[in-house]
Amino acid sequence: MVQYNFKKMTVVPNGKDFIDIILSRTQRQTPTVVHKGYAISRLRQFYMRKVKYTQQNFHEKLSTIIDEFPRLDDIHPFYGDLLHVLYNKDHFKLALGQINSARTLIGKISKDYVAALGRMCTVIKRIGPSLAYLEQIRQHMARLPSIDPNTRTVLICGYPNVGKTSFINKITRADVDVQPYAFTTKSLFVGHTDYKYLRYQVIDTPGILDRPFEDRNIIEMCSITALAHLRAAVLFFLDISGSCGYNIAQQASLFHSIKSLFMNKPLIIVCNKTDLQPLEGISEEDKKLVAEMKNEAMKTVIGQGGEATNDEGQGKAPCIPQAVLEAKSNQAAEKEKRSTERDLENENGGAGVYSSSLKKHYILANDEWKEDVMPEILHGYNVCDFVDPDIFHRLKELEREEGLRHEEQGDDDFETDALKLTPEEQRMLSEIRKKRSKFIQQHRIKKSTAESRPIVPRKFDKDREFTTKRMGRQLTKLGIDPTMAINRARSRSVSRGRKRERSVDGGDTDGGDAMDMDVDVPNKKQRMLSRSRSRSRSRSRSRPPIEVVPGEGYKDSSQKAKAIKKAKKSNMMRNKNARRGEADRVIPTLKPKHLFSGKRSIGKTQRR
């Protein structure tokens, strides 16, 4: 995962373009017309708005520049030293410091808003060189490769023109320019390669010359920075043919001068261009120098001060535990013995002839039972329902146990309030329960046929089944006096049918014709007559809503009417009819005449 991507940094405009961008945005986003009739407070507000808006735009733009440029103390040391090598970190910090000072100064100017816009532009003109310098740095940083300092990395280094770039072009998809002269590669190049399902980052560095540290140029310092800060496996390329312009002694001297950068890193000496000069054909002195470099490479891997050499490492036999060897042999034997379904298919006639059995993995007491055919129906019964061989015996036991419980608890159904009922009362109770279950069934049938609506007996009792007369007959049939039940039903219907009425003089008229409102009157004319009598009775007049009652807190009826009107307005009803309301966006005229009437002829322009 690449952590540093400098290609997304915002472009830094120069001083003149910076001022044009901010002032044009201020001109577009703020009012531009001032009339001579405006009050002084309005004029002040006009200019204060322009000043504040300009200051905010300057602050945002400068803050973006400061935040997007990396802080050298916070980023990885590799990038910190690389930026110092390329641009000199003191100049870099100085330019950013000037931008930060300009941002603070513009904020102070906006507070003293007299002639503020001119002073802000002057500040931006003063930091013009810093803006131009930061833009050059941004463009150069955008061209830097995206290097992840924390991933697996292979670093290639050596003298110029020893074959480093050709190597990275071979093992990665990078396409770096290759030329037969020194310092073709002037910066770091990155490629990626896969080895044993792992992704490696390969970095090609510019060539390094064997000379003092102070005399090295910027191109060489890029390689030194990468070697110093990146945790990577280092490939030191050695041109044994000398075609690069430097002999083996010079390359060995470079290796020993920078070997402190290789400590605690895997190091490999790569002898390149053996097609031009085989390794066996070089002189004894050169062979000795190459051997010394190999020994140093072994020391860097083992650690500083280690005495192991390349020959000792080659002569040491590998040590593998015996348990690991036995486990590997057992796995190999099992792999040879086990045959797959594809092997069985090929042995038994191929596809379409061989059919794999799904029962061979069943866990049974006897393997011969796996291929037995299990019937689904046996003696007219489903086999799956009678897996237990003692099912019939257990079923009989359950039925016998249930019968015994019914015999023991048979009389408990007729016990109420811890008192035992007589046989006659038990018979009546059973009749009542049967009747009740019948009513429940009828109610459920009616409910299902009434479009799933709850049933009110008076509304849906069209057959006049539920009347007091019928109730009286049923109670008489059961041997119960129905008088009290009928009177109770009538009193409830009277109280529900008509409220108590008051006469003109304030007396209650609750007697007399109250019994005429009997719900059991079968004749419709008689019921209408009783209703007309009740309506003809004098009733007290209702109080108008705007009449003031003592204690309500209103001065007069007009004040109460206004209060009621406001209360109704505050309680807005839902717009259930989807009508147009006050919150709708309405275009009163779809085609205004002055826009759709064509060209005007010579005449009045009063519509304009």
Side-chain angles (χ1 to χ4, degrees), residues 574-581 584:
R574 290 178 57 192
N575 188 7
K576 297 181 179 180
N577 298 326
R579 294 179 178 177
R580 190 177 70 185
D584 291 339

Side-chain angles (χ1 to χ4, degrees), residues 204-360:
D204 179 21
T205 62
I208 308 174
L209 298 178
D210 183 19
R211 53 185 177 180
F213 186 82
E214 296 80 9
D215 296 338
R216 290 193 171 103
N217 56 21
I218 294 177
I219 299 176
E220 294 176 273
M221 290 304 298
C222 291
S223 301
I224 298 297
T225 304
L227 287 170
H229 294 289
L230 293 179
R231 297 182 58 187
V234 181
L235 302 182
F236 186 85
F237 270 63
L238 192 66
D239 184 4
I240 62 175
S241 67
S243 61
C244 63
Y246 306 96
N247 55 31
I248 296 178
Q250 291 175 321
Q251 299 179 52
S253 177
L254 172 65
F255 174 82
H256 291 293
S257 66
I258 64 173
K259 67 180 180 181
S260 60
L261 301 175
F262 303 148
M263 297 309 299
N264 298 324
K265 297 177 184 177
L267 175 61
I268 300 174
I269 306 299
V270 180
C271 296
N272 198 17
K273 300 185 182 181
T274 55
D275 54 341
L276 301 178
Q277 174 64 53
L279 187 61
E280 294 79 8
I282 62 177
S283 63
E284 293 296 331
E285 295 180 359
D286 292 341
K287 286 183 180 180
K288 186 177 179 180
L289 293 175
V290 173
E292 289 179 358
M293 286 190 287
K294 287 184 178 179
N295 293 335
E296 292 292 338
M298 288 298 298
K299 288 182 181 180
T300 57
V301 175
I302 296 174
Q304 188 174 3
E307 297 181 356
T309 61
N310 195 13
D311 297 335
E312 293 176 358
Q314 291 179 355
K316 188 177 180 180
C319 180
I320 302 176
Q322 186 65 27
V324 177
L325 294 175
E326 294 177 358
K328 286 187 176 181
S329 61
N330 294 335
Q331 291 178 359
E334 290 179 1
K335 189 173 183 180
E336 292 177 359
K337 292 179 182 179
R338 188 178 61 183
S339 58
T340 61
E341 288 293 332
R342 178 60 61 85
D343 299 334
L344 295 175
E345 182 182 7
N346 295 332
E347 292 174 1
N348 295 278
V353 179
Y354 171 76
S355 178
S356 61
S357 176
L358 301 177
K359 300 180 180 179
K360 62 183 179 181

Side-chain angles (χ1 to χ4, degrees), residues 8 33 92 104 111 118 133 136 143 167 243 259 274 280 320 350 368 383 408 413 426 460 462 476 503 562 568 603:
K8 296 183 179 180
V33 178
F92 179 77
T104 306
K111 296 178 182 178
Y133 176 68
Q136 291 180 3
R143 293 192 294 267
F167 179 74
S243 61
K259 67 180 180 181
T274 55
E280 294 79 8
I320 302 176
E368 297 178 355
V383 177
E408 293 176 358
D413 294 339
Q426 292 178 5
F460 292 96
K462 298 180 181 179
T476 304
S503 61
K562 291 180 180 179
K568 288 182 178 179

Side-chain angles (χ1 to χ4, degrees), residues 158-211:
Y159 255 94
N161 202 21
V162 295
K164 302 186 298 298
T165 305
S166 301
F167 179 74
I168 192 176
N169 287 342
K170 290 291 184 182
I171 67 171
T172 67
R173 288 176 290 181
D175 187 12
V176 187
D177 186 24
V178 178
Q179 297 295 339
Y181 50 82
F183 287 108
T184 305
T185 304
K186 297 181 180 179
S187 62
L188 301 176
F189 288 92
V190 181
H192 294 83
T193 185
D194 293 334
Y195 179 70
K196 290 186 178 180
Y197 303 104
L198 293 177
R199 176 62 58 89
Y200 287 86
Q201 178 181 246
V202 184
I203 300 177
D204 179 21
T205 62
I208 308 174
L209 298 178
D210 183 19
R211 53 185 177 180

Side-chain angles (χ1 to χ4, degrees), residues 554-570:
Y554 297 108
K555 181 173 64 175
D556 50 11
S557 59
S558 61
Q559 188 182 20
K560 185 176 180 180
K562 291 180 180 179
I564 293 174
K565 188 176 181 180
K566 288 184 178 181
K568 288 182 178 179
K569 283 187 176 181
S570 63

Side-chain angles (χ1 to χ4, degrees), residues 442-567:
Q442 292 178 356
H443 174 72
R444 288 176 180 173
I445 293 172
K446 284 188 176 183
K447 187 175 180 180
S448 63
T449 58
E451 299 179 0
S452 300
R453 291 176 296 178
I455 294 178
V456 181
R458 291 184 180 276
K459 186 175 181 181
F460 292 96
D461 188 19
K462 298 180 181 179
D463 300 332
R464 303 294 298 168
E465 295 181 358
F466 304 101
T467 59
T468 54
K469 291 182 179 180
R470 186 176 177 218
M471 182 179 67
R473 290 196 301 269
Q474 291 177 351
L475 293 177
T476 304
K477 185 177 179 181
L478 295 174
I480 301 174
D481 186 10
T483 306
M484 295 179 64
I486 292 174
N487 292 336
R488 185 178 179 185
R490 285 179 177 175
S491 63
R492 287 185 177 181
S493 64
V494 169
S495 62
R496 185 168 57 245
R498 178 172 59 87
K499 296 182 180 179
R500 296 178 63 187
E501 296 182 356
R502 295 179 180 273
S503 61
V504 178
D505 55 356
D508 292 342
T509 59
D510 216 7
D513 296 332
M515 297 303 293
D516 294 339
M517 296 293 293
D518 192 356
V519 296
D520 295 329
V521 180
N523 194 350
K524 186 175 182 181
K525 292 183 178 180
Q526 294 180 1
R527 291 198 300 272
M528 295 298 293
L529 181 61
S530 63
R531 290 177 185 173
S532 63
R533 289 178 181 176
S534 65
R535 289 174 184 171
S536 63
R537 297 182 180 274
S538 60
R539 298 180 180 178
S540 60
R541 295 181 180 179
S542 59
R543 185 181 292 109
I546 60 173
E547 183 178 345
V548 179
V549 178
E552 287 184 340
Y554 297 108
K555 181 173 64 175
D556 50 11
S557 59
S558 61
Q559 188 182 20
K560 185 176 180 180
K562 291 180 180 179
I564 293 174
K565 188 176 181 180
K566 288 184 178 181

Side-chain angles (χ1 to χ4, degrees), residues 369-386:
W369 298 347
K370 290 183 179 180
E371 300 298 332
D372 290 349
V373 179
M374 181 180 289
E376 295 182 1
I377 304 297
L378 182 64
H379 304 303
Y381 296 100
N382 193 342
V383 177
C384 296
D385 295 337
F386 300 98

